[in-house]
Amino acid sequence: MNRVTVDDTPVEVPPGATILDAATAAGRWVPTVCFDDRQAPFGGCRVCMVAVEGSPKPLPACTTPCRDGMAIDTEEPTARRVSRTVVELVLSELPEPPETHTELARVAARLGVSGSRWSGAVHPREDDLRHPYLALRHELCISCGRCVRACDEIQGAFALTATGRGFEANIAAGLDAGFEDSTCVSCGACADTCPTDAISEISLVAQLERS
């Protein structure tokens, strides 16, 4: 076992455990966006940054393994500033604030981020409603990769693909035919893991449009 401290709280974690595992064991909150504990850690969003004694810069909690004697600070100012800035940048590309029930909105609220300091191009509305149960709203996609990994790792359907780079990054279903003609088995794993409602149940979209 590795003995580490998280915000001065000592915890023991097994070999291979990450800083995020240690923080969870210590009952400490670390913000995440691209992380889902049902999937292999991805480390793409850089929202889960924490300080580690002896490290010259913040480290991603979800992919950094613990070592014996490690001292972790989950609320160190520089690390939290990086987390807030990343969330602000993500929000700056969305055409509208995320719904309050979404994971992204909850993370932003807990970090004290109510909007973005930057204005510029936002994703135009592009909804794919061809699936009988699921809606794919491209404008809300933040390219966290969770839906693709859920489809691959949890269900093994391989119905979703990451496309583009940078601002143009998004996801695609099937061969330009949408979910309906893809290998989707309607399990809903993608909607369940999506932190922004970019993929959600058709009924939820209808409910939001009525409200």
Side-chain angles (χ1 to χ4, degrees):
M1 299 288 283
N2 288 321
R3 295 175 175 82
V4 303
T5 59
V6 182
D7 299 337
D8 297 323
T9 299
V11 293
E12 290 188 353
V13 293
T18 64
I19 289 176
L20 186 56
D21 293 327
T24 300
R28 301 298 294 168
W29 180 74
V30 173
T32 63
V33 171
C34 74
F35 179 78
D36 184 324
D37 60 11
R38 296 166 294 184
Q39 303 170 11
F42 182 57
C45 71
R46 289 304 192 261
V47 171
C48 66
M49 305 303 283
V50 298
V52 174
E53 187 176 277
S55 174
K57 59 184 180 181
L59 299 173
C62 72
T63 56
T64 303
C66 289
R67 65 174 186 277
D68 196 50
M70 180 179 277
I72 302 156
D73 185 346
T74 67
E75 297 186 355
E76 192 271 332
T78 298
R80 275 299 167 90
R81 186 166 63 249
V82 172
S83 299
R84 292 189 184 99
T85 300
V86 171
V87 170
E88 283 191 73
L89 287 169
V90 169
L91 292 176
S92 74
E93 296 185 357
L94 301 182
E96 58 194 47
E99 294 290 336
T100 55
H101 69 268
T102 63
E103 189 174 335
L104 176 60
R106 294 196 300 268
V107 168
R110 189 153 180 182
L111 287 174
V113 177
S114 58
S116 178
R117 291 170 287 174
W118 301 281
S119 60
V122 297
H123 297 293
R125 181 162 183 164
E126 184 185 353
D127 295 350
D128 183 347
L129 306 178
R130 291 173 287 184
H131 193 285
Y133 310 114
L134 299 170
L136 173 51
R137 293 182 286 174
H138 290 281
E139 70 273 13
L140 299 180
C141 178
I142 60 173
S143 302
C144 65
R146 284 168 57 167
C147 61
V148 177
R149 286 178 285 131
C151 191
D152 295 355
E153 298 174 19
I154 298 174
Q155 186 60 37
F158 301 93
L160 296 170
T161 305
T163 63
R165 300 182 65 181
F167 181 77
E168 301 301 326
N170 214 282
I171 54 172
L175 299 175
D176 297 323
F179 277 140
E180 190 173 16
D181 295 322
S182 72
T183 55
C184 175
V185 295
S186 302
C187 70
C190 54
D192 183 60
T193 193
C194 180
T196 68
D197 277 354
I199 300 180
S200 58
E201 294 181 8
I202 288 281
S203 58
L204 176 61
V205 175
Q207 178 183 334
L208 292 174
E209 289 180 346
R210 287 195 301 267
S211 61

